[in-house]
Amino acid sequence: MNKNELVSGIADKAGIKKTDAEKALKAFIEVVTDELKAGEKVQLVGFGTFETAERPAREGRNPRTGETMKIEASKSPKFKAGKALKDAIN
């Protein structure tokens, strides 16, 4: 499913126009992104939790040359599915 299909599905389920569904989806993405940037987590009970994971600085190797290189610390987004979502899938 791509973004357009998701917007269509939201519009159909909610009984709203596709433009309104697209605005709602964009707003949801922006809010989640802003909260993750601020170091917060977004918890949707029954669906799951969006949070950030800290990745420490480490040494890696260039696979082409085998040369050692430094990989800087970073943050990455993480999603953990909730129990209700897991149960619905299984």
Side-chain angles (χ1 to χ4, degrees):
M1 175 179 270
N2 62 31
K3 184 178 176 182
N4 288 333
E5 293 168 341
L6 179 59
V7 168
S8 294
I10 291 171
D12 290 343
K13 287 275 188 182
I16 58 177
K17 295 178 185 177
K18 284 184 182 180
T19 55
D20 293 337
E22 186 172 7
K23 286 179 187 176
L25 181 60
K26 283 183 180 180
F28 173 77
I29 291 169
E30 286 178 15
V31 169
V32 170
T33 301
D34 291 343
E35 288 299 309
L36 293 178
K37 280 183 185 178
E40 302 294 325
K41 68 179 181 178
V42 178
Q43 186 173 7
L44 303 171
V45 176
F47 183 70
T49 304
F50 296 91
E51 57 190 345
T52 56
E54 300 281 337
R55 300 177 81 186
R58 60 195 187 279
E59 282 192 1
R61 293 200 177 269
N62 182 332
R64 203 174 274 174
T65 64
E67 180 181 329
T68 302
M69 55 190 278
K70 183 179 178 188
I71 301 172
E72 295 182 16
S74 64
K75 295 180 185 178
S76 63
K78 185 169 101 173
F79 176 75
K80 181 179 177 185
K83 184 178 183 333
L85 179 60
K86 289 178 189 176
D87 291 345
I89 292 172
N90 293 320

